[in-house]
Amino acid sequence: MATPSRKTSTQSPLASKRALLSDPSSEVPSKKKSSVPPAAPPPLPSSGPFVEGSIVRIAMENFLTYDVCEVSPGPHLNMIIGANGTGKSSIVCAICLGLAGKPAFMGRADKVGFFVKRGCSKGMVEIELFRTSGNLVITREIDVAKNQSLWFINKKSANQKIVEEQVAALNIQVGNLCQFLPQDKVGEFAKLSKIELLEATEKSIGPPEMHKYHCELKNFREKEKQLETSCKQKTECLEKMIQRNERYKQDVDRFYERKRHLDLIEMLEAKRPWVEYENVRQEYEEVKLARDQAKEEVRKLKESQIPITERIEEMERQRHILEARIKEKASAITETSQKCKYKQDVIERKDKQIEELQQALTVKQNEEHDRQRRISNTRKMIEDLQNELKTTESCENLQPQIDAVTNDLRRVQDEKALCESEMIDKRRERETLEKEKRSVDDHIIRFDNLMNQKEDKLRQRYRDTYDAVLWLRNNRDKFKQRVCEPIMLTINMKDNKNAKYIENHIPSNDLRAFVFENQEDMEVFLKEVRDNKKLRVNAVIAPKNSYADKAPSRSLNDLKQYGFFSYLRELFDAPDPVMSYLCCQYHIHEVPVGTERTREKIERVIQETRLKQIYTAEEKYVVKTSFYSNKLISSNTSLKVAQFLTVTVDLEQRRHLEEQLKEINRKLQAVESGLSALRETNKHLEHKDNELRQKKKELLERKTKKRQLEQKISSKLGSLKLMEQDTCNLEEEERKASTKIKEINVQKAKLVTELTNLIKNCTALHIQKVDLILQNTTVISEKNKLESDYIATSSQLRITEQHFIELDENRLRLLQKCKELMKRAKQVCNLGAEQTVPQEYQTAFQDLPNTLDEIDALLTEERSRASCFTGLNPTVVEEYTKREEEIEQLTEELKIKKVELDKYRENISQVKERWLNPLKELVEKINEKFSYFFSSMQCAGEVDLHTENEEDYDKYGIRIRVKFRSSTQLHELTPHHQSGGERSVSTMLYLMALQELNRCPFRVVDEINQGMDPINERRVFEMVVNTACKENTSQYFFITPKLLQNLPYSEKMTVLFVYNGPHMLEPNRWNLKAFQRRRRRITFTQPSQ
């Protein structure tokens, strides 16, 4: 095996990995606790085999597996060898991160803080790059807590952007798989599309401007496509708009023809108000002249009325004087008349006094006659009473009879009170019984409502079963023994919460089954219900021997320790046939029900109790014994929610209530019978009581009649005595009345004389008043004649004034109308209030008719013509005009776009020539190298520039086609067609083909040989050594965990070993110079031996 000219090694102690890779002149830096980067060694001289941008030194501190490590690679091929996990890829990560690469590109972590050694708060990576003007030292300090980095260039603080610019200036692309291929990205190289591979190749080995030209071409081509699309769209749109305008041109011409008619109509309508105004103005002048004439005539008529008015006023003054005198006479007449009336009233009062005296005398005469009549009647009444008193018998022997009747009446009343007391007690007893009956009825109704709820659920779910229940209730007499309704109706849960256990244990088919005790009864039922009524029902027969009271095989007390609190049978009540059937069929007396505590210890319950079925709070367990292994097998299911048995009806309590109701009804009947008998007895006693009372009343009346007669006689005698004492002297009364009447007649004669004198004075006053009235009448007559003359004149004046008013109103109306017409005419002509008619209107009006009739006739004609142009839409003209403008604008835009498109095409042609020809030459060189490498391996490979359309510059790509067997054709390199080793060989050879053409300063390939077979690995290794160790080639890093034996090596290779083990020296104790001296001594002494 050839010995390399330079060998270095790394070592790691047991506590932590440490690597030391350096040349003899390098020193190991100590650990630094501060954030200031460690002092860099002096830059290497600018001459030597290193190319611009090659890596001269790599230093790491607290980075991944390293505490402190420094690596000094060679200028050509660098082989980094070490077992898996020793830290080879850590060096690759240091190169990537130290040159501002993204953490995610490594495929290990997306945060830079994860690359710091575990347990450390900070880490550092330092890369020294060769540069002829002086080496470039880039330092990156990583803060784990903040997940941030501090950058330094040649020990001066910088930011990441400056670092990226410095790295890019040296053509270093750590994100390009053609230059930097980490271990976790090897498989992704084959996944690169042709387009991505071309872009990576351009960036890696092409001239700096090649990728720029490519990007410009893609942008130009995209702009060209956009411009072509835009020109095409605008051309199509322009053609469509021109065609559409051609279609609308005739409509537009017709529109403008119609517009000419409308303009004439508009001008006629504009002149018409002016003609109307002129007509009204002339009419106004005529009315104004007539109004002035009427005003003069009114003035003359008013002047002629003045003398008549003065004469009328004189007559009016005389009339007022006469009327005043007439009023004076009327007042004197009224005063005299009132005196006459007073005298007449006095005379009438004297007559009334005489009449009253006569009436008083007549009343006294009538009273005396009435007193005599009453005296006579009273004497006759006393005589009759005395006769009746004589005939009345003695009443002393009636008292014993009255006492006997009183005793009998008291005894009857006592019996009646006792009877009524008994009736009150009976009524109270009846009320108590009725109250109890209502309470029992309410309880039964509540039970019936609950039962109805269960029946409603049955009807909603199983209608046929419900109909069969109704039929059974109406036909129970057809059966010999007891027939139970469906089980779900007869079961009565003691606690609704336990209904879920019963419904989960008994199938729904049996829950709705009828239970019979007799086979014949069931056949009769099924024949009638199933066969005749076609109802789908279920029926079962209860066992002949009852199972209802059968004891369980295990006492419940023994099961309580497992949380069981009852068997299923004890959770509900049911008729004996139903309970017997369920115990026989579903063993409800053997199935216990437990709680949540039972579920918690279910395994123990199953093993110890060996019960076949168990219920816990929410689950059902079924336990079986395996036929093969005799082991217990259990299965559990969740309990379904109860649907039918949640309603509880205590049938035994209902039967008790029905019996109680019957007993209450029987007692009520007995009470009613007793009440009826007491009512009859009370009625008989009431009748007897009335008879005794009547008899006692008659005896008492007979006893008191004599005393009453004596009292009446005494009373009448007293009245007679009083009437006889009240006597009156009629002759004396008549004499007094006659004297008073004579005195009144003397006074009356004197009053008549005075009244006669007053009447004479009143007559004289009436004569004087009539004379004054005649004079007043003459004055009024003369005044009326004057007023008639005045009225006649006034009538003519009013007519004239009315005519004047009408003419004035007409004048004002016409004036207002003139103003309105003037205003409207100016509005039609769009003129202001102070503006005059423009000259163009006056010129246009001269050619138009001057009369309204002619204008209206011409308007009608023009409107008729305009109406012939139907179906014209003003928006069409607007669209036509707008579209004409748009066509003009679009034509100009299209012209500009075409000029711009020609310019882009010219640019594309120029850039394409500068890009495509060098690219083809470059791809041809890559193909030459790639084909040579494959042919040296007895395989075939090609690299070509592939595109489907020469104009689609974003679709250009590099296509790699390979053939590893002579019997196959060339196939494109894809992630699926070739094997992993074939892809690795193809990738490696492509990178080798780029090596001599590469303008990048270094290339990194991490463990690409892992998938190769030994033959291919050896061939590839030879090619790598031959290619990477040539003069003027870039630096190459080849990382591998192992190598084949007897591989060829070159003097220009640098082999870097990474060791890891418990016996490695500390970095500060490693002396590379001493090691090299010992190695040379051994080498020199071997030939002498």
Side-chain angles (χ1 to χ4, degrees):
M1 178 173 120
T3 304
S5 60
R6 301 176 65 185
K7 287 188 179 179
T8 61
S9 64
T10 66
Q11 60 182 354
S12 172
L14 180 62
S16 63
K17 295 182 184 178
R18 289 181 177 87
L20 179 61
L21 298 105
S22 64
D23 57 18
S25 63
S26 64
E27 296 181 358
V28 179
S30 60
K31 293 186 181 178
K32 303 294 180 179
K33 296 184 178 180
S34 64
S35 62
V36 179
L44 293 176
S46 59
S47 60
F50 285 97
V51 298
E52 190 85 0
S54 298
I55 299 175
V56 177
R57 183 175 58 86
I58 306 168
M60 297 168 284
E61 184 177 339
N62 296 330
F63 186 80
L64 289 176
T65 59
Y66 296 104
D67 289 335
V68 177
C69 180
E70 186 173 295
V71 180
S72 297
H76 297 291
L77 177 61
N78 290 274
M79 299 288 295
I80 301 177
I81 305 173
N84 289 330
T86 56
K88 303 183 302 299
S89 296
S90 298
I91 298 174
V92 177
C93 294
I95 295 172
C96 178
L97 297 180
L99 297 176
K102 303 297 182 186
F105 179 73
M106 305 302 301
R108 290 194 173 194
D110 57 350
K111 294 183 178 179
V112 70
F114 292 150
F115 288 88
V116 177
K117 187 174 183 179
R118 183 175 299 175
C120 298
S121 61
K122 291 184 179 181
M124 184 274 292
V125 175
E126 187 173 85
I127 308 292
E128 183 177 349
L129 301 175
F130 176 78
R131 197 167 57 178
T132 55
S133 61
N135 287 0
L136 180 68
V137 180
I138 300 174
T139 306
R140 182 175 189 173
E141 285 192 356
I142 304 170
D143 191 325
V144 177
K146 299 180 180 179
N147 192 39
Q148 294 179 350
S149 299
L150 296 177
W151 295 90
F152 300 89
I153 297 179
N154 294 333
K155 297 187 292 183
K156 294 181 180 180
S157 179
N159 55 43
Q160 186 170 347
K161 185 177 180 182
I162 296 175
V163 174
E164 290 174 349
E165 291 174 354
Q166 294 281 355
V167 171
L170 295 172
N171 198 30
I172 298 174
Q173 305 169 24
V174 292
N176 190 340
L177 293 180
C178 288
Q179 180 177 346
F180 199 92
L181 191 62
Q183 177 182 351
D184 296 323
K185 295 289 183 176
V186 171
E188 292 189 11
F189 185 87
K191 297 180 182 178
L192 289 176
S193 66
K194 295 187 286 291
I195 299 170
E196 293 171 339
L197 184 59
L198 172 61
E199 184 177 350
T201 303
E202 285 178 339
K203 293 178 180 178
S204 179
I205 65 171
E209 67 275 5
M210 179 176 283
H211 182 64
K212 175 185 174 185
Y213 288 155
H214 192 187
C215 292
E216 288 180 359
L217 275 176
K218 288 190 285 187
N219 292 332
F220 287 159
R221 178 54 183 162
E222 186 65 28
K223 290 285 186 180
E224 183 187 17
K225 286 181 180 179
Q226 293 176 1
L227 287 171
E228 287 176 349
T229 304
S230 178
C231 289
K232 184 179 179 181
Q233 291 175 350
K234 289 182 183 297
T235 303
E236 292 175 355
C237 182
L238 183 61
E239 291 175 355
K240 290 179 181 178
M241 291 169 69
I242 292 172
Q243 292 174 3
R244 191 175 299 172
N245 265 19
E246 286 297 326
R247 290 197 301 269
Y248 293 152
K249 191 173 186 310
Q250 185 179 358
D251 290 342
V252 173
D253 293 341
R254 294 177 67 243
F255 177 83
Y256 282 116
E257 179 66 23
R258 178 173 176 271
K259 189 174 183 303
R260 283 192 292 273
H261 292 292
L262 293 177
D263 291 342
L264 181 56
I265 291 171
E266 183 181 355
M267 195 56 65
L268 288 168
E269 289 177 345
K271 184 175 181 180
R272 194 177 189 283
W274 290 105
V275 175
E276 287 181 349
Y277 166 73
E278 186 61 29
N279 293 341
V280 173
R281 191 187 64 78
Q282 292 176 2
E283 185 180 355
Y284 168 75
E285 294 296 337
E286 295 173 357
V287 171
K288 183 179 179 184
L289 181 61
R291 174 243 186 200
D292 293 340
Q293 293 174 355
K295 185 177 181 181
E296 182 64 22
E297 187 177 352
V298 168
R299 186 185 64 78
K300 292 178 180 179
L301 288 172
K302 285 183 177 180
E303 289 178 353
S304 65
Q305 280 187 333
I306 293 174
I308 300 174
T309 305
E310 293 175 352
R311 181 64 180 163
I312 290 173
E313 289 175 355
E314 179 66 24
M315 292 293 104
E316 184 66 20
R317 284 194 294 271
Q318 294 180 10
R319 186 181 67 80
H320 283 309
I321 294 171
L322 291 172
E323 286 181 353
R325 292 177 64 189
I326 290 170
K327 285 180 179 180
E328 291 176 358
K329 297 297 180 184
S331 298
I333 291 170
T334 302
E335 183 180 355
T336 305
S337 298
Q338 288 176 353
K339 291 179 179 179
C340 291
K341 187 175 183 304
Y342 172 74
K343 297 297 181 181
Q344 288 176 348
D345 292 339
V346 173
I347 291 170
E348 288 176 358
R349 284 198 294 274
K350 295 299 180 181
D351 291 336
K352 191 174 182 181
Q353 288 177 1
I354 293 170
E355 184 178 355
E356 288 174 355
L357 290 171
Q358 293 174 351
Q359 288 177 354
L361 180 61
T362 303
V363 167
K364 288 183 178 181
Q365 291 174 350
N366 292 333
E367 287 178 352
E368 181 61 23
H369 294 154
D370 183 59
R371 186 180 67 82
Q372 294 297 330
R373 179 180 58 75
R374 283 189 285 111
I375 289 172
S376 174
N377 291 336
T378 300
R379 287 175 177 169
K380 183 178 181 182
M381 190 178 295
I382 289 170
E383 184 179 354
D384 292 336
L385 288 173
Q386 288 175 348
N387 293 331
E388 185 178 356
L389 180 60
K390 291 178 181 178
T391 57
T392 300
E393 62 181 7
S394 177
C395 298
E396 294 177 356
N397 57 350
L398 292 178
Q399 189 61 41
Q401 296 180 18
I402 292 173
D403 293 340
V405 171
T406 300
N407 292 333
D408 292 341
L409 183 61
R410 187 179 297 110
R411 180 179 52 79
V412 170
Q413 287 177 348
D414 292 340
E415 292 178 0
K416 183 180 176 184
L418 180 62
C419 181
E420 287 177 352
S421 176
E422 291 179 0
M423 287 177 66
I424 290 171
D425 292 340
K426 290 291 183 181
R427 288 192 186 100
R428 289 176 180 172
E429 185 179 358
R430 183 180 65 181
E431 289 176 358
T432 303
L433 290 172
E434 286 177 349
K435 187 176 181 180
E436 291 179 3
K437 181 180 179 182
R438 284 194 298 272
S439 177
V440 173
D441 285 337
D442 291 341
H443 279 79
I444 292 174
I445 289 171
R446 284 197 291 271
F447 278 113
D448 290 342
N449 290 337
L450 293 174
M451 196 65 186
N452 290 337
Q453 291 181 19
K454 297 179 73 173
E455 291 176 3
D456 286 341
K457 290 184 178 181
L458 178 66
R459 177 176 54 80
Q460 293 172 5
R461 187 71 181 271
Y462 306 111
R463 184 56 189 253
D464 289 359
T465 304
Y466 177 76
D467 294 341
V469 169
L470 298 180
W471 181 87
L472 174 65
R473 291 175 180 174
N474 296 327
N475 297 275
R476 288 192 179 275
D477 55 342
K478 295 184 179 181
F479 304 102
K480 298 178 180 178
Q481 292 184 345
R482 183 178 180 182
V483 178
C484 295
E485 293 182 355
I487 294 175
M488 67 173 61
L489 295 181
T490 56
I491 283 180
N492 182 47
M493 298 303 302
K494 296 178 180 178
D495 189 344
N496 294 343
K497 293 187 293 186
N498 298 325
K500 58 184 178 182
Y501 303 117
I502 307 304
E503 289 196 20
N504 280 273
H505 192 75
I506 303 173
S508 59
N509 285 340
D510 272 5
L511 281 175
R512 61 191 180 95
F514 294 81
V515 182
F516 292 85
E517 292 183 328
N518 186 283
Q519 181 70 28
E520 293 181 4
D521 288 345
M522 186 174 74
E523 291 175 358
V524 170
F525 175 80
L526 293 177
K527 181 178 180 181
E528 182 66 31
V529 174
R530 281 187 183 174
D531 299 342
N532 296 343
K533 295 185 174 295
K534 306 298 181 183
L535 300 177
R536 292 177 295 178
V537 297
N538 294 337
V540 296
I541 297 181
K544 292 183 179 179
N545 297 324
S546 177
Y547 284 77
D549 298 325
K550 187 175 180 181
S553 60
R554 189 189 296 264
S555 172
L556 183 62
N557 292 329
D558 298 338
L559 298 178
K560 287 185 177 179
Q561 60 177 319
Y562 304 110
F564 294 106
F565 63 89
S566 175
Y567 284 104
L568 287 178
R569 181 177 62 182
E570 278 67 39
L571 297 180
F572 65 92
D573 295 326
D576 189 72
V578 173
M579 189 67 78
S580 177
Y581 171 76
L582 294 178
C583 290
C584 177
Q585 187 69 22
Y586 297 105
H587 308 288
I588 58 175
H589 61 294
E590 297 283 0
V591 180
V593 181
T595 60
E596 190 65 25
R597 189 159 63 92
T598 309
R599 190 189 66 79
E600 292 173 356
K601 55 177 71 173
I602 190 64
E603 294 296 333
R604 177 186 165 197
V605 172
I606 293 172
Q607 294 297 331
E608 294 181 3
T609 62
R610 298 213 169 238
L611 293 167
K612 294 183 179 180
Q613 294 187 69
I614 299 170
Y615 283 92
T616 63
E618 297 296 337
E619 293 178 333
K620 174 184 179 181
Y621 289 85
V622 178
V623 183
K624 297 181 181 178
T625 304
S626 173
F627 291 105
Y628 303 101
S629 62
N630 202 31
K631 294 182 179 179
L632 295 178
I633 302 172
S634 65
S635 62
N636 65 310
T637 55
S638 298
L639 298 180
K640 299 177 182 177
V641 179
Q643 299 179 359
F644 300 106
L645 302 180
T646 54
V647 179
T648 302
V649 180
D650 192 344
L651 299 178
E652 186 64 31
Q653 185 178 358
R654 191 182 187 285
R655 284 194 295 272
H656 175 71
L657 289 173
E658 288 178 348
E659 292 175 359
Q660 187 177 351
L661 183 63
K662 291 179 181 178
E663 180 65 21
I664 290 171
N665 288 332
R666 186 187 61 75
K667 289 181 179 179
L668 277 173
Q669 290 178 358
V671 169
E672 286 293 339
S673 300
L675 272 174
S676 299
L678 290 172
R679 287 192 196 98
E680 289 296 326
T681 302
N682 189 50
K683 185 178 179 182
H684 175 70
L685 292 173
E686 186 75 25
H687 179 69
K688 190 172 182 181
D689 179 76
N690 291 335
E691 288 180 349
L692 290 172
R693 287 177 182 276
Q694 185 63 29
K695 187 176 180 181
K696 183 178 179 180
K697 182 179 178 182
E698 292 176 354
L699 290 172
L700 290 173
E701 286 176 352
R702 287 173 58 192
K703 183 178 179 182
T704 59
K705 188 175 181 179
K706 180 178 180 181
R707 188 166 59 252
Q708 290 174 352
L709 288 172
E710 290 175 349
Q711 291 175 353
K712 285 181 179 181
I713 291 171
S714 176
S715 175
K716 293 297 181 183
L717 290 173
S719 298
L720 179 62
K721 185 176 180 181
L722 291 173
M723 285 187 290
E724 288 177 346
Q725 290 175 355
D726 189 16
T727 58
C728 180
N729 189 351
L730 288 177
E731 293 178 357
E732 183 62 25
E733 292 297 330
E734 288 175 358
R735 186 184 60 78
K736 289 179 180 180
S738 177
T739 302
K740 289 181 180 181
I741 289 171
K742 286 180 180 180
E743 291 177 355
I744 292 171
N745 283 331
V746 172
Q747 296 173 1
K748 183 179 175 183
K750 184 178 178 182
L751 289 171
V752 169
T753 303
E754 292 176 355
L755 178 60
T756 302
N757 294 330
L758 289 172
I759 290 173
K760 289 179 180 179
N761 292 335
C762 185
T763 302
L765 290 171
H766 273 291
I767 293 170
Q768 294 173 5
K769 179 182 177 183
V770 169
D771 184 44
L772 292 171
I773 289 172
L774 289 175
Q775 293 178 19
N776 189 37
T777 303
T778 302
V779 172
I780 290 172
S781 176
E782 187 176 352
K783 178 191 171 189
N784 289 339
K785 183 179 179 182
L786 291 171
E787 287 177 347
S788 297
D789 296 340
Y790 180 81
I791 289 170
T793 307
S794 298
S795 177
Q796 186 179 357
L797 177 61
R798 280 197 303 274
I799 292 171
T800 306
E801 285 179 340
Q802 184 65 32
H803 182 57
F804 167 76
I805 292 170
E806 290 175 356
L807 289 173
D808 192 54
E809 290 176 353
N810 196 16
R811 180 188 68 83
L812 294 174
R813 180 180 60 80
L814 291 173
L815 179 60
Q816 184 63 29
K817 189 174 182 182
C818 283
K819 291 180 181 179
E820 292 176 357
L821 289 172
M822 173 65 76
K823 183 178 179 181
R824 186 157 65 88
K826 288 187 176 183
Q827 286 177 350
V828 171
C829 297
N830 296 321
L831 299 175
E834 304 298 330
Q835 290 179 315
T836 59
V837 181
Q839 184 62 39
E840 59 268 19
Y841 274 100
Q842 295 179 10
T843 304
F845 288 168
Q846 289 176 0
D847 298 331
L848 298 177
N850 295 320
T851 64
L852 287 176
D853 293 338
E854 291 175 350
I855 290 173
D856 290 340
L858 187 56
L859 271 173
T860 303
E861 182 181 352
E862 289 300 321
R863 284 171 180 162
S864 299
R865 289 179 180 178
S867 64
C868 295
F869 296 92
T870 57
L872 296 179
N873 191 348
T875 56
V876 173
V877 179
E878 293 176 5
E879 290 177 3
Y880 179 85
T881 306
K882 183 179 178 182
R883 200 174 292 113
E884 283 290 334
E885 295 174 357
E886 290 176 354
I887 288 171
E888 184 178 353
Q889 182 181 355
L890 195 58
T891 304
E892 186 64 26
E893 290 177 359
L894 184 59
K895 184 178 179 182
I896 295 171
K897 291 288 183 184
K898 285 182 178 179
V899 172
E900 189 178 356
L901 179 60
D902 293 338
K903 182 179 178 182
Y904 268 103
R905 285 175 177 169
E906 183 180 353
N907 292 337
I908 288 172
S909 178
Q910 294 174 359
V911 176
K912 180 179 180 182
E913 185 177 353
R914 291 196 294 267
W915 171 75
L916 188 58
N917 293 334
L919 179 62
K920 287 181 178 178
E921 293 175 2
L922 184 64
V923 173
E924 185 60 34
K925 291 178 182 179
I926 296 171
N927 179 50
E928 182 181 346
K929 297 288 183 182
F930 189 75
S931 299
Y932 169 75
F933 290 147
F934 260 86
S935 63
S936 64
M937 294 176 60
Q938 288 79 44
C939 300
E942 285 184 1
V943 176
D944 61 358
L945 188 63
H946 178 267
T947 182
E948 296 177 357
N949 184 359
E950 290 187 1
E951 302 300 325
D952 290 338
Y953 303 106
D954 56 341
K955 300 295 177 63
Y956 274 78
I958 288 181
R959 179 174 59 177
I960 300 176
R961 296 193 295 165
V962 295
K963 181 178 73 171
F964 288 90
R965 286 167 288 280
S966 59
S967 58
T968 61
Q969 299 293 326
L970 285 170
H971 288 285
E972 186 175 345
L973 180 65
T974 64
H976 311 293
H977 191 273
Q978 288 81 15
S979 66
E982 291 172 346
R983 291 197 301 273
S984 297
V985 170
S986 301
T987 302
M988 194 66 189
L989 294 183
Y990 184 79
L991 296 178
M992 295 306 302
L994 301 181
Q995 178 68 15
E996 293 183 4
L997 304 173
N998 198 359
R999 65 183 181 87
C1000 64
F1002 65 86
R1003 176 174 285 106
V1004 178
V1005 179
D1006 190 2
E1007 297 190 14
I1008 198 171
N1009 60 331
Q1010 293 307 297
M1012 300 181 188
D1013 58 79
I1015 297 174
N1016 286 335
E1017 184 178 354
R1018 184 176 296 278
R1019 290 173 179 173
V1020 169
F1021 185 81
E1022 291 177 357
M1023 293 178 190
V1024 170
V1025 172
N1026 294 333
T1027 304
C1029 293
K1030 289 181 180 180
E1031 292 293 336
N1032 299 322
T1033 58
S1034 61
Q1035 196 177 30
Y1036 203 103
F1037 290 88
F1038 188 90
I1039 294 91
T1040 180
K1042 52 89 178 177
L1043 287 174
L1044 299 175
Q1045 294 181 357
N1046 300 321
L1047 291 174
Y1049 291 89
S1050 171
E1051 291 294 331
K1052 296 181 180 180
M1053 289 175 58
T1054 300
V1055 181
L1056 304 173
F1057 293 94
V1058 182
Y1059 285 107
N1060 182 10
H1063 303 294
M1064 300 300 295
L1065 292 175
E1066 293 289 337
N1068 55 4
R1069 295 175 56 191
W1070 178 263
N1071 191 335
L1072 185 59
K1073 294 179 180 180
F1075 174 80
Q1076 289 178 340
R1077 285 196 300 270
R1078 287 195 300 273
R1079 178 68 179 126
R1080 281 196 296 270
R1081 285 197 300 269
I1082 294 171
T1083 304
F1084 293 150
T1085 58
Q1086 283 179 350
S1088 64
Q1089 293 177 355

